[in-house]
Amino acid sequence: MPSPGEAAGARPHGRLLAAVAALADPAGRPAAARALAAAVGAADLIVLLRDAEVDLMLPAPGFPQTLPDARGWRAFAAACVARGSAAAWLRPPGRGDDPVAVRGVAGADGSVLALIGGDPSPAAAADAALLLPIVAAALRGELVAQTAAGQSAVAREAAGRANLLAATLDESRRNLQAALAEARSAGAAKDRFLAVLSHELRTPLTPVLLAATLLESDPRLAPELLADVQAIRRNAELEARLIDDLLDLTRVAHGKVQLHPQPVDAHRLLGQTLDMYRAEAHQKRLRLRYEPAAENDRLTADPARLQQVFWNLIRNAVKFTPDGGEIVVRTAGGAAGPLIVEVTDTGIGIAPDKVGAIFAAFEQGEPDVARRFGGLGLGLSISRSLVAMHGGRIAASSPGAGRGATFTVTLPTAAAAATAPAAGEPARAAATTTTTTTHAPPPARRLRILLVEDHESTSKLMVRLIRSFGHDVRAAASVGAATAAADAEPFDLLLSDVGLPDGSGLELMRDLGKRHAMRGIALTGYGMEEDVRRTAAAGFAEHMTKPIDPARLRAAIARLG
């Protein structure tokens, strides 16, 4: 095993990445903790997470749950989160009564990695802290699943999905080790790690989100269980958004984000984005006002990326505004000037000395914001880059902490004649959007759909979901079975995973598109720009990244059908 100095020089070293990823496996967590501690030069370690119910930093699942001198440990964890790192003499569990030197580093999400004894390398510990939010997210999901398991049969099934997530993470660790062995540089290895891990996390999130969505819309569900199901759905959506933000940050840093500009009606796009949050705003008793006053709202932009910017701003306003507050989304601008979009809230506000740094990656203003509200602090940083790529700018202002905030986006408009959108043109939604459960009217035409998905739980839930849309569906688990089904009976639409046990969904799309003139939607856990290009080149009309958003899927089927 390389020394801590060698691991720091590689930044981050492949074996260090593998050791961090291995913490996600409950069965091997003690051994993984010892391995990671050794990799950074410590004798042992503990991961601490904030428990929202008691508002305390507590050991994560799989670590000793009783800490000697709990008050000292709490003060130590608070110092780590406030300053990014801290050191103290504490009594660790199971190591006698003598205090030991403990050094801690905080992850961007407020989690803490406590290194016990030894002589940890600061650089190696910092590398581990960079990846800590990903593992902490999995540990939080495991804790949620454990809690839910004791409440109801619905929650017990969700816990089973969480176990599936843990098993998949173990497979992801093995795939990661193989990928790291072939990588030529530490930077390339880190990018591959994030891409593979995100795929393995997305795949099991799909059945969790679909099951929760279907249960939430079931009128037979007992009222006392509805809140549990909604909590499961919201947490699954949050995990998907965190994965997307991490990947987007990597894309932006490496200049790999590509825009697909087209005529865009900004008022319509804003209205669609606001609709995603009306249910949540109603639940918090927020007054949500929309004032589209701009004379020219026509842009030449990538609708998916622009909606991602609006989504981040409105989501933050809803998230950081207390119950009973107000959010106003307004536009301004003349016929020839730029379009100005303002999102104003009566929320927690921004301290004057933090306004300039609010758009930095992993920055959430005051240190306690991450602890109170969660998240990684990436949305505004990504939004600033996306707005700049569109030739615009974004700014924040606030009278001070507790007095609300205003975010202003300024974008260049396009000539009216050149950019008038086609009637009924839908905006291409961002990779992950908030799912809302609606009882839509039956489709204009009942379609025959061929679903190709080898993940059994996902396939069963997708079949139920598509039938709830009012369409007929036949499921296949392989390229061979799908080809035989398409040759035996006619289908209007193909919905296919890309990675299948006996081939590729890309080749399947090429074959069925050529022989049966079939259109298709790609369903995949990979969402990088290159993945979107590959599915488009194969003939897929739409690319949907797992976990699948039911509302987006319904809209895509309607467009293609």
Side-chain angles (χ1 to χ4, degrees):
M1 176 178 293
S3 68
E6 292 172 331
R11 196 178 292 276
H13 192 279
R15 296 186 67 178
L16 179 62
L17 291 172
V20 173
L23 286 175
D25 178 12
R29 189 163 296 148
R34 291 191 296 271
L36 177 57
V40 300
D44 204 350
L45 63 82
I46 296 176
V47 176
L48 302 171
L49 304 176
R50 178 163 295 279
D51 188 308
E53 292 187 4
V54 298
D55 196 28
L56 293 175
M57 294 293 287
L58 300 175
F63 291 92
Q65 297 298 296
T66 301
L67 297 175
D69 185 17
R71 181 177 299 177
W73 277 93
R74 288 197 294 270
F76 164 75
C80 288
V81 174
R83 300 197 298 265
S85 64
W89 286 85
L90 297 168
R91 288 190 295 135
R95 298 176 66 92
D97 295 331
D98 294 331
V100 175
V102 181
R103 295 168 178 83
V105 289
D109 62 340
S111 56
V112 170
L113 180 66
L115 303 172
I116 301 171
D119 186 17
S121 161
D127 285 340
L130 286 175
L131 296 170
L132 184 59
I134 302 175
V135 176
L139 296 174
R140 289 191 184 96
E142 183 180 329
L143 185 60
V144 169
Q146 290 173 355
T147 303
Q151 296 179 347
S152 66
V154 174
R156 284 196 294 273
E157 181 172 350
R161 304 298 183 192
N163 290 335
L164 174 62
L165 173 61
T168 307
L169 280 170
D170 184 64
E171 179 65 23
S172 172
R173 177 181 59 81
R174 292 193 292 268
N175 292 339
L176 173 65
Q177 290 173 335
L180 290 174
E182 300 172 359
R184 295 183 178 182
S185 68
K190 181 181 69 173
D191 290 346
R192 180 60 184 166
F193 169 81
L194 290 174
V196 172
L197 185 60
S198 70
H199 171 269
E200 300 300 334
L201 286 169
R202 290 177 190 275
T203 299
L205 275 178
T206 293
V208 173
L209 187 55
L210 291 177
T213 301
L214 288 167
L215 284 170
E216 190 177 0
S217 62
D218 188 343
R220 298 170 298 177
L221 186 67
E224 62 269 17
L225 299 181
L226 180 59
D228 293 337
V229 174
Q230 290 173 332
I232 293 168
R233 175 182 57 76
R234 286 194 301 270
N235 279 279
E237 290 171 349
L238 176 60
E239 298 301 332
R241 184 68 259 172
L242 292 176
I243 295 167
D244 285 338
D245 282 349
L246 286 168
L247 289 179
D248 273 344
L249 186 67
T250 301
R251 295 186 189 107
V252 169
H254 290 81
K256 294 182 178 180
V257 174
Q258 294 187 3
L259 300 182
H260 303 280
Q262 64 187 68
V264 172
D265 180 332
H267 283 164
R268 181 186 301 172
L269 198 63
L270 272 169
Q272 291 172 343
T273 310
L274 278 166
D275 286 342
M276 298 175 188
Y277 283 98
R278 293 197 183 279
E280 188 172 348
H282 178 74
Q283 187 177 20
K284 294 183 67 174
R285 294 180 289 107
L286 301 177
R287 297 182 299 279
L288 189 61
R289 291 196 288 123
Y290 181 32
E291 301 174 355
E295 293 183 40
N296 183 6
D297 68 335
R298 299 180 178 91
L299 310 174
T300 299
D302 184 325
R305 290 303 187 178
L306 192 57
Q307 187 173 55
Q308 184 177 355
V309 173
F310 297 156
W311 188 93
N312 279 328
L313 296 181
I314 296 171
R315 176 179 182 272
N316 281 350
V318 173
K319 177 180 179 181
F320 295 123
T321 301
D323 291 6
E326 182 178 54
I327 298 169
V328 180
V329 179
R330 59 171 61 93
T331 68
L339 172 71
I340 300 172
V341 179
E342 286 187 351
V343 179
T344 301
D345 63 62
T346 57
I348 63 173
I350 310 170
D353 60 332
K354 296 294 184 180
V355 172
I358 199 70
F359 292 101
F362 303 109
E363 176 63 54
Q364 290 187 308
E366 296 299 328
D368 68 336
V369 170
R371 296 194 300 269
R372 291 169 56 196
F373 296 97
L376 298 179
L378 298 179
L380 290 178
S381 175
I382 294 168
S383 295
R384 180 179 61 177
S385 297
L386 294 177
V387 170
M389 291 176 68
H390 282 86
R393 61 185 183 275
I394 184 171
S397 63
S398 173
R403 301 174 64 187
T406 296
F407 287 85
T408 305
V409 178
T410 305
L411 294 165
T413 55
T419 62
E425 172 196 357
R428 182 165 57 92
T432 302
T433 56
T434 300
T435 302
T436 55
T437 304
T438 59
H439 300 283
R445 185 166 73 93
R446 190 180 187 91
L447 303 178
R448 290 187 54 79
I449 295 175
L450 176 59
L451 171 68
V452 189
E453 171 61 67
D454 63 321
H455 192 280
E456 184 178 357
S457 297
T458 300
S459 179
K460 290 180 179 179
L461 289 165
M462 287 286 290
V463 167
R464 288 175 53 193
L465 183 69
I466 295 169
R467 285 175 178 165
S468 75
F469 295 163
H471 302 295
D472 296 324
V473 58
R474 177 168 176 179
S478 65
V479 171
T483 302
D487 289 341
E489 56 184 302
F491 289 96
D492 300 301
L493 191 61
L494 170 70
L495 273 62
S496 178
D497 195 358
V498 172
L500 296 169
D502 60 342
S504 169
L506 302 177
E507 291 301 324
L508 177 64
M509 182 70 253
R510 291 189 184 99
D511 177 46
L512 298 186
K514 180 179 180 181
R515 294 194 299 112
H516 298 291
M518 194 180 300
R519 306 185 74 187
I521 300 173
L523 312 175
T524 173
Y526 289 102
M528 303 293 280
E529 297 290 335
E530 179 60 28
D531 302 311
V532 177
R533 286 195 296 270
R534 288 173 60 215
T535 56
F540 283 106
E542 299 263 357
H543 179 108
M544 300 191 69
T545 306
K546 296 178 179 178
I548 302 303
D549 182 327
R552 282 194 62 213
L553 180 62
R554 181 198 293 270
I557 291 174
R559 286 195 297 272
L560 297 182

